[in-house]
Structure formats: C-alpha cells, structure tokens
Amino acid sequence: MKILHRYVLKEHVGPLTFALTALTSILLLQYIGKHFGELVGKGLPPLVIAEFFGLSIPLTVALTLPMAVLIATLYAFSRLAAENEITALKASGVSVVSVLRPVLLAALGVTLVMIGFNDQVLPRSNHRLAVLQRDIAQKKPTFGLREQVINEVSPGKFYLRAGHLDEATNLMREVTIYDMADPTRRRTIYADSGNMGMSKNLSDLELTLYNGNMEDVPTANPNELQRLFFDVDLIRVRGVGNQFQKTTADSYKSDREMTVCEMQGAQDKARAAHEDARKQFLAKVAELRKSKAMLSKTVLDAKTTAPWDVGLGRVYCKAIALFIPKKAQAQAVSSTPRRIAPSAGVAPNSSDLSVLEVLRIRLQDSSTLMNSYGVEIHKKFALAVACFVFVLLGAPIALRFPRGGVGLTIGVSLFVFALYYVCLIAGESIAKRGSMPAVVSMWMANVIFALVALWMLGKMGQEGSTARGGDMREMFGAIRGTIRSKLGWKNRRVRRERLAA
C-alpha cells in the first residue's frame, strides 16, 4: 500500500508544480506589465525594482496555490481513471477511498503550510512592499500620482488632481491644484493642461500649466474672491523629491500587513472600546428617557451589540503561543497600531445629544474595525483550507468523467475557482458592512463546496466496480438529460391537470 501511496502522490507532483509555476508567472507578468512603466526611468537602483516585484510574489502564490491544487487533482485522477488504473485497483480489492487517502493527507499538510504562509510570510511581504512604495514616492511623487484622484504632493500643503495623466510624457489634462501652504489664504488653480517634471537636483517638482485661472480666497474674509487668468503659469513645489532612502523601521500596519495575532490584539482592543461605549450609550439613553427627552431616530436605531465571532484567531494564537517565546509575543503585540478612538468621555460642557452622537459614532467605528479584522483573520484560514476542499471536490469529478482530459481540467478549474472567489469577495463585502458575521461569510464558499464534494464522494461509493466514466460530452449530456426529464415530468403533470379539468 505504501508503494501505491507514493505512486498516487507522484502523479500529483508534476501537475501541481506546473500549474503553480504557470499561474504564478501569468499573474506576476500581468502585475509587472502594469507597474513596470511606473518604476523604470525614475532613477531607482535595479535591486530596488527587483525587490519591488519580488515582494509581490507571496500575494500571488497565496491566490494561485489553491487553484494549482485543484488542477493537479483533476488532472492526476482523470489520467488514472482514463488509463483504467482505478478499475484495476478496484478489481484488486483496493477502494477509491484508499487511493484518495494519501492525497487528502498531503492536502492537509499543504493546508497547514498555507496557514503559516498566510500568517507570517504574506503580511511581512505586504508590509515591506507598502514601505517600499512610500520610499519610492518620496524620491519622485510621479510614482504616487493617480488619475481622477486628489493626490497629496506635499503633506498638508499641496494637492493635485489630474483628469488624465500620461506617464510616458508627464502630460496632464484637466488639472486642479489646491495650494494650502499659506495659512492666510486658500488658492485653487485650474488649468486645461500642463507638464510635470523634476528639477536638476531632483529635489523640487516643477509644474508648467496652460490656459487656466487662479482663485484666491483670504481666510480672514471668505466672501472676497480674487481671480487671475493665465496662458502659462510656472509652479515649483520644493523638497518633495528627496533622494531615495530605504526605511528600516515603520510601525504603521494596515490589516493586510498584520499577522493573525496582531489583528486579534487590535480586534480585542476594538471590542473593549465597543463595550465601554455601549455601556455609556445605554446609560445616557436611559437617563434621557427618564427625563422624557426627545431622541432622534438615528439614536434609537443605533446597533449596540458587538459583531459575533467564534474566536478562531484567539484559539490559533493560544496554540502557537506554545512554540513562540513570550518575548517575541510581547514584541508582536506592541507593534500593533492603535486605530480606534480613545475611550475617554466627552467634555462636561457638551450637550446630552452631542454625547449620544459621539457614543453612537464610537460604537459604529469600533464595530467596523472588528468586522474588518475578523474578515482578514478568517480569510487567511479559509484560503488555506480551500486546498483541502478542492482535493475533495476534484477527485470525484475527475473519476466520474475520466475522458475529459485537459478540457475538463481547465474548464472545471476556471468555473470552480471563479465561483469560489465570487463568493469570497461577496462575503468580504457583506461582512465588512456588518450584514453577516465574518465567520459565516468567509467560510460560506468552503462549506458549500465541501458539502457538494461529500455528496459526490457518497455517490461514488454507491457505484459498482465496473462503472463507466465519460467525457465532457457525457457530462453535458447528463445535465441536459436531467433538465429534459424535469421538463417532461412538468409537461405530463400539466396535461393530467388539463384532462382532469
């Protein structure tokens, strides 16, 4: 039996390696093609450009590995069934479950590796990539400029919006500039087009604007407006293009740059803030009701219950605490940023209604944070478990239609993975809005596919040893026959009802 297990696993290694390499290369080439023009020609060292694309690989692998597992399972079992090796094993008394057991154990190992990868490697690479992008933007702000977006060129002083931005020629169209450097006035500049470039010392940004006007509004007298029309206007923004220097430490992290334990710690802080705000909110509402004060519908309809969660991240952190030193855990928790409002009360001179509104906003913000962290925590585990679920799903499909070949492998893989990611993205959006708990929305796709896989495996166990498989045409024929039979049964029922009438 050990020889059989090694043989079955060997059949999966080749397709898995090829599928993972091909899919990762395709997505990575698409990413490189999208960002290559933004990096080349900006005076960056080649190693920095290589690091930029190298840090994008972990995110790509996290997406492509589950699909590669599904492709390998479909291809390997389809080949074993097409060459009658499964039939020979059944004739020798070896069940399909025995053939599937080593693949499931291997899939379980891949799942555990993916959990560690999504928890440790992926957030660290995302954080380093985010820091690297900010460092590059410091060297030349053109890297960070986006069309149809208000771009902060100089923090708190200079903002730029361009309707169209040509990265090759640095030509801008439909330009709007908000100059807030002078506290005594607010200046807004509109231009039909313009050019953008760096000064010779690469420290200042030079803008040449064409066919526009400049509006000045004094802060002391907002009703006064001064407008100046121009054909050509030269603007220099100083000190925005400093030489490139890599940041060695950056404490801020978004939710996708944090490990599970860091997100769990931030979620616990948000939950504590929510509970504190809830107690104050309910106490203040009860106090105002006793005084028979009028409360707005927004206050009365405020949701005070905290988002429900099963505590998967907390269990995981307790489990890995047995293997990680306490000193490392303390460092990990201390690096978690504070992203929630402080729990301090409102100033004594505030009105009761303003106190309620502040407490209601605190409840809403803390709930949003808990939902956001919960989604990211469960997503890390759900994507890893998808590797195991896809093996359960792919094996019975391949054994039922062994002559499907490459067409079956590609078609089913694309359909299953597209449907899976649609469910995952929809669940993420629903959970962040608070319409559904994160544990339900993020695991919904895995549960549905697992139930379908178990049903198909149960149907396989009821088949005889001489069950004949088919190809893609038979699969579509079976679907078509099922639809026709249901329509025929409906037509016969309609005819019987008409005769009875």
Side-chain angles (χ1 to χ4, degrees):
M1 191 62 68
K2 292 182 179 179
I3 297 176
L4 175 62
H5 290 175
R6 286 197 299 268
Y7 176 72
V8 174
L9 290 177
K10 186 179 178 181
E11 290 294 314
H12 286 75
V13 172
L16 177 63
T17 304
F18 174 79
L20 181 61
T21 304
L23 293 173
T24 304
S25 301
I26 291 173
L27 293 183
L28 191 60
L29 286 175
Q30 181 184 8
Y31 186 82
I32 291 175
K34 181 179 179 181
H35 295 279
F36 189 76
E38 299 176 355
L39 295 172
V40 176
K42 296 186 179 293
L44 299 176
L47 291 179
V48 173
I49 299 177
E51 182 183 5
F52 182 89
F53 294 119
L55 292 174
S56 307
I57 295 177
L59 176 60
T60 307
V61 172
L63 298 176
T64 56
L65 184 58
M67 188 174 184
V69 169
L70 176 61
I71 292 175
T73 303
L74 287 169
Y75 184 84
F77 278 100
S78 179
R79 198 196 67 79
L80 291 174
E83 297 182 2
N84 296 322
E85 295 186 54
I86 298 295
T87 304
L89 290 173
K90 287 182 178 180
S92 302
V94 180
S95 64
V96 177
V97 177
S98 299
V99 179
L100 190 58
R101 186 180 296 115
V103 184
L104 291 177
L105 292 176
L108 181 60
V110 173
T111 298
L112 295 177
V113 171
M114 279 295 295
I115 290 176
F117 181 86
N118 291 341
D119 178 39
Q120 298 296 324
V121 178
L122 183 58
R124 284 176 169 80
S125 64
N126 287 341
H127 179 60
R128 289 183 59 186
L129 181 60
V131 173
L132 186 64
Q133 287 177 332
R134 289 194 291 269
D135 292 337
I136 296 174
Q138 287 178 1
K139 182 183 186 299
K140 288 191 177 182
T142 52
F143 176 78
L145 293 181
R146 297 293 182 269
E147 296 179 353
Q148 304 292 341
V149 173
I150 298 177
N151 302 275
E152 187 178 29
V153 178
S154 181
K157 297 180 180 179
F158 198 88
Y159 301 86
L160 184 146
R161 180 187 182 277
H164 174 72
L165 179 62
D166 190 341
E167 297 178 358
T169 62
N170 288 333
L171 177 64
M172 302 177 295
R173 296 189 183 278
E174 301 175 7
V175 183
T176 304
I177 294 175
Y178 303 95
D179 187 358
M180 308 177 70
D182 189 351
T184 62
R185 59 166 178 77
R186 291 294 179 263
R187 172 174 293 177
T188 305
I189 304 173
Y190 303 94
D192 177 69
S193 60
N195 281 321
M196 163 176 58
M198 300 300 297
S199 61
K200 293 182 179 180
N201 58 5
L202 298 178
S203 63
D204 301 336
L205 178 66
E206 295 179 344
L207 300 174
T208 305
L209 304 178
Y210 305 100
N211 300 327
N213 64 86
M214 180 187 307
E215 298 179 357
D216 278 348
V217 178
T219 55
N221 187 9
N223 296 325
E224 181 180 337
L225 172 65
Q226 181 179 1
R227 179 176 294 175
L228 175 66
F229 293 88
F230 61 84
D231 294 329
V232 180
D233 188 21
L234 300 178
I235 299 176
R236 172 172 291 213
V237 187
R238 300 184 181 277
V240 298
N242 299 325
Q243 291 298 320
F244 176 81
Q245 294 179 351
K246 292 187 63 175
T247 301
T248 57
D250 192 345
S251 59
Y252 174 76
K253 292 182 179 180
S254 66
D255 50 8
R256 297 191 178 184
E257 302 169 28
M258 301 165 67
T259 63
V260 172
C261 295
E262 290 174 345
M263 284 191 290
Q264 187 62 51
Q267 189 184 49
D268 291 341
K269 292 178 182 178
R271 191 174 297 276
H274 185 278
E275 181 63 20
D276 180 57
R278 185 184 72 85
K279 292 179 180 179
Q280 296 183 38
F281 182 83
L282 295 178
K284 182 59 67 175
V285 169
E287 178 184 342
L288 292 177
R289 282 179 172 175
K290 286 183 180 180
S291 62
K292 297 183 179 180
M294 295 295 295
L295 298 177
S296 64
K297 188 175 183 299
T298 304
V299 172
L300 294 175
D301 295 341
K303 186 177 180 182
T304 59
T305 57
W308 176 76
D309 192 51
V310 296
L312 178 61
R314 194 174 297 108
V315 173
Y316 171 79
C317 293
K318 290 181 179 179
I320 66 173
L322 302 175
F323 305 98
I324 299 179
K326 292 184 178 181
K327 183 177 180 181
Q329 295 178 38
Q331 292 175 353
V333 174
S334 64
S335 64
T336 303
R338 286 186 174 270
R339 299 177 56 193
I340 58 177
S343 58
V346 184
N349 58 352
S350 300
S351 65
D352 291 334
L353 294 179
S354 64
V355 171
L356 277 179
E357 183 63 20
V358 171
L359 292 173
R360 186 190 66 82
I361 294 175
R362 282 177 53 194
L363 285 172
Q364 183 178 355
D365 291 346
S366 57
S367 296
T368 302
L369 279 178
M370 282 188 283
N371 289 328
S372 178
Y373 287 127
V375 165
E376 292 300 323
I377 290 173
H378 288 288
K379 187 197 296 185
K380 291 179 183 293
F381 291 99
L383 281 174
V385 175
C387 297
F388 185 84
V389 174
F390 286 162
V391 171
L392 279 177
L393 183 64
I397 294 177
L399 294 178
R400 178 62 184 85
F401 304 100
R403 295 198 300 271
V406 179
L408 176 73
T409 301
I410 297 177
V412 173
S413 299
L414 292 176
F415 175 77
V416 170
F417 216 63
L419 186 60
Y420 179 84
Y421 267 103
V422 167
C423 295
L424 198 67
I425 295 172
E428 181 178 355
S429 177
I430 293 173
K432 287 187 175 181
R433 291 199 304 266
S435 304
M436 184 183 297
V439 63
V440 177
S441 62
M442 300 311 296
W443 288 93
M444 179 173 53
N446 282 347
V447 172
I448 293 174
F449 282 114
L451 292 176
V452 173
L454 292 176
W455 176 79
M456 296 183 69
L457 288 173
K459 298 290 288 185
M460 282 178 52
Q462 299 174 5
E463 295 176 355
S465 59
T466 59
R468 182 181 65 86
D471 54 9
M472 291 286 288
R473 288 178 297 178
E474 182 175 341
M475 180 177 68
F476 290 120
I479 297 174
R480 186 169 58 251
T482 302
I483 296 174
R484 286 181 175 177
S485 63
K486 291 184 178 297
L487 291 177
W489 176 82
K490 183 178 180 181
N491 292 334
R492 288 194 298 269
R493 187 186 64 179
V494 172
R495 286 198 296 270
R496 286 196 300 269
E497 291 176 354
R498 288 178 178 176
L499 290 175

